[in-house]
Amino acid sequence: MAALPAESLARIEELEAAFDTLLTEAPPQERLSRVSKVGNLAGVPTKARMLFDQKNLKGLELLLETVEKSGKEPRLTHLLQGYRAELEGAAEAAMAAYQELLGESLEPLTETALQRIAALSIEQNNLQSALLAVECLSGVSLVYQPMHADLLK
């Protein structure tokens, strides 16, 4: 695979830094204004996961505030609330938020919620809930079948 030119890499880093600044330093009204201009929140789940993985509670709270004020994607609110609750050590609140994302159809947010429910259940040694979540995931993708088999042991 070919590497990107140096100027492209620099531009990507510049845009990422601007986005991070927007999430962490811009006033709420400015963040909301920029989200409204974009018109959709397609990149929010990816950014939320990155903030969660970095344990950036402040960034998650700012992103949650922006999404809530936009009123466009209530399901994203549940995902962000779950991530925030996990970072705050409130496993039950996180589980409740993630369970709001479960429904009849499987979509990316549902898969993410099931992944987090399985992880939290394993951390809490609740193998029954973990098994149920991984069973749902393994029905969707073969990737989860080895984990499902391990939990059945």
Side-chain angles (χ1 to χ4, degrees), residues 35-46:
V35 167
S36 298
K37 287 178 189 172
V38 171
N40 69 49
L41 302 170
V44 170
T46 303

Side-chain angles (χ1 to χ4, degrees), residues 68-83:
E68 286 175 333
K69 286 185 178 180
S70 78
K72 291 184 179 182
E73 292 287 337
R75 292 177 53 78
L76 283 175
T77 301
H78 296 300
L79 178 67
L80 291 164
Q81 288 170 339
Y83 283 161

Side-chain angles (χ1 to χ4, degrees), residues 81-118:
Q81 288 170 339
Y83 283 161
R84 180 184 64 191
E86 276 195 73
L87 291 182
E88 292 173 339
E92 292 301 318
M95 290 285 260
Y98 295 140
Q99 287 172 354
E100 291 293 324
L101 295 169
L102 305 180
E104 299 281 325
S105 63
L106 186 73
E107 52 188 70
L109 289 182
T110 308
E111 184 175 358
T112 300
L114 286 167
Q115 291 169 345
R116 297 310 314 148
I117 288 170

Side-chain angles (χ1 to χ4, degrees), residues 124-137:
Q124 296 176 329
N125 206 26
N126 183 345
L127 297 182
Q128 189 68 22
S129 291
L131 182 61
L132 187 58
V134 173
E135 187 175 317
C136 291
L137 287 166

